Amino acid sequence: MKYYILFGPPGAGKGTQAKKMVEKFHLKHISTGDLLRNEIANKTELGLKAKALIEAGNLVPDEVVVGMIKNVFANNNDVAGFILDGFPRTIDQAKMLDKILEGMHSGVTKVISLKIKDGLIGERIKKRAEIEGRKDDADEKIIKNRIDTYHRQTEPLINYYKKSGNYHEIEGERSIDEVFEAISREMQ
Ligand code: AMP
C-alpha cells in the first residue's frame, strides 16, 4: 500500500492535482478539508464542533482529523494506495500518522510538496471562492489567518519530512498540466 502526502499551502492546487493523481494511479484521495465540510453539511456532532474553527480559518483538533484518517484507512483495503491532501497539518499529526502506518508495517511513501508564493495564494483562493462558494475562501481576514496558520503550524513539517529523505518539492506556479507532469515523474 502506498501512502503519498500532497503537501502545500492553501490554494497551492492540492485538490486539483489529487483528483488527477487518483485517475492515473488508482489511489484513494483523502482530503480532510472535504471530509470536514461533509460533516458540516450533514450537521453531525463533529461537523457542528468543527464549523466555527474552519470558518475562522483555524485548524480543528489533531485527534479529530486523525480519527477520520484512521476510518478511511480501515474502510479501503481494495486500493493501490492513498493520497493525503491537507493532512498532516501539524507536527503532532505527522507523528500520529507515522505511528498508525508503523502499526500497519508501512510508512509514508513520498511527500510531494507544491511550492507557491504567499501573494499567489490569496489570488487563487479568491478565484476559487467564486467557483466553490466556501465561506473560508471569501473573506480577506480569514484567508490571511489561514496563510499565517500554514506558516506557523504546517510549514515546520517540511523539515520533519526532509529528515526522512522522502520529501520532494515541485514548483507549483505553473499550469495544471505542467505541475501534474512533474508530480507524475516523482511518482514513477
Ligand atoms: P482545506 O480544504 O484543506 O483547505 O481545509 C479547510 C479547513 O479544514 C482548514 O482551514 C482547517 O480548518 C480544516 N482542516 C482540514 N484539514 C485539517 C487538518 N489536517 N488539521 C486540522 N484542520 C484541518
Side-chain angles (χ1 to χ4, degrees), residues 52 68 75 79-80 91 93 104-105 181:
M68 294 193 312
N75 294 314
V79 292
I91 296 277
Q93 288 178 20
M104 301 191 292
H105 308 289
E181 225 171 83

Side-chain angles (χ1 to χ4, degrees), residues 63-124:
E63 301 69 41
V64 170
V65 281
V66 171
M68 294 193 312
I69 291 280
K70 272 190 191 162
N71 260 340
V72 182
F73 285 165
N75 294 314
N76 290 278
N77 298 314
D78 55 343
V79 292
F82 297 89
I83 303 170
L84 304 179
D85 157 11
F87 176 90
R89 252 176 161 100
T90 64
I91 296 277
D92 280 344
Q93 288 178 20
K95 288 183 177 163
M96 287 189 242
L97 174 65
D98 283 344
K99 270 220 182 91
I100 295 169
L101 296 182
E102 258 172 51
M104 301 191 292
H105 308 289
S106 193
V108 171
T109 307
K110 241 177 211 189
V111 181
I112 296 173
S113 174
L114 302 182
K115 299 292 276 186
I116 75 166
K117 284 192 280 292
D118 280 6
L120 195 62
I121 297 176
E123 241 174 73
R124 284 201 184 168

Side-chain angles (χ1 to χ4, degrees), residues 5-187:
I5 295 175
L6 194 52
F7 183 85
K14 300 189 295 294
T16 306
Q17 295 296 337
K19 287 191 185 85
K20 291 172 79 72
M21 290 160 81
V22 164
E23 276 170 31
K24 185 162 177 184
F25 299 101
H26 309 292
L27 303 165
K28 167 96 183 148
H29 177 201
I30 312 180
S31 155
T32 40
D34 284 350
L35 292 174
L36 289 164
R37 281 185 288 278
N38 206 29
E39 297 281 340
I40 294 175
N42 291 327
K43 299 198 164 61
T44 63
E45 206 181 314
L46 193 160
L48 293 174
K49 277 191 204 148
K51 189 171 191 290
L53 288 167
I54 293 174
E55 287 180 359
N58 295 318
L59 297 184
V60 305
D62 292 333
E63 301 69 41
V64 170
V65 281
V66 171
M68 294 193 312
I69 291 280
K70 272 190 191 162
N71 260 340
V72 182
F73 285 165
N75 294 314
N76 290 278
N77 298 314
D78 55 343
V79 292
F82 297 89
I83 303 170
L84 304 179
D85 157 11
F87 176 90
R89 252 176 161 100
T90 64
I91 296 277
D92 280 344
Q93 288 178 20
K95 288 183 177 163
M96 287 189 242
L97 174 65
D98 283 344
K99 270 220 182 91
I100 295 169
L101 296 182
E102 258 172 51
M104 301 191 292
H105 308 289
S106 193
V108 171
T109 307
K110 241 177 211 189
V111 181
I112 296 173
S113 174
L114 302 182
K115 299 292 276 186
I116 75 166
K117 284 192 280 292
D118 280 6
L120 195 62
I121 297 176
E123 241 174 73
R124 284 201 184 168
I125 289 182
K126 273 180 256 165
K127 242 184 236 155
R128 183 171 70 188
E130 290 165 22
I131 301 163
E132 295 182 13
R134 276 172 56 174
K135 271 196 188 151
D136 61 343
D137 280 347
D139 182 297
E140 200 87 44
K141 267 197 220 123
I142 294 168
I143 295 172
K144 185 174 180 307
N145 187 32
R146 287 165 63 203
I147 297 173
D148 291 346
T149 302
Y150 168 77
H151 288 306
R152 214 174 44 246
Q153 294 185 265
T154 307
E155 212 168 28
L157 284 174
I158 293 178
N159 273 333
Y160 182 87
Y161 285 118
K162 269 185 181 165
K163 279 183 207 143
S164 71
N166 53 5
Y167 174 86
H168 301 270
E169 253 169 31
I170 283 175
E171 174 52 62
E173 296 189 19
R174 293 180 286 175
S175 73
I176 291 174
D177 287 344
E178 281 169 332
V179 172
F180 184 59
E181 225 171 83
I183 292 177
S184 297
R185 273 197 301 272
E186 279 304 339
M187 290 177 72

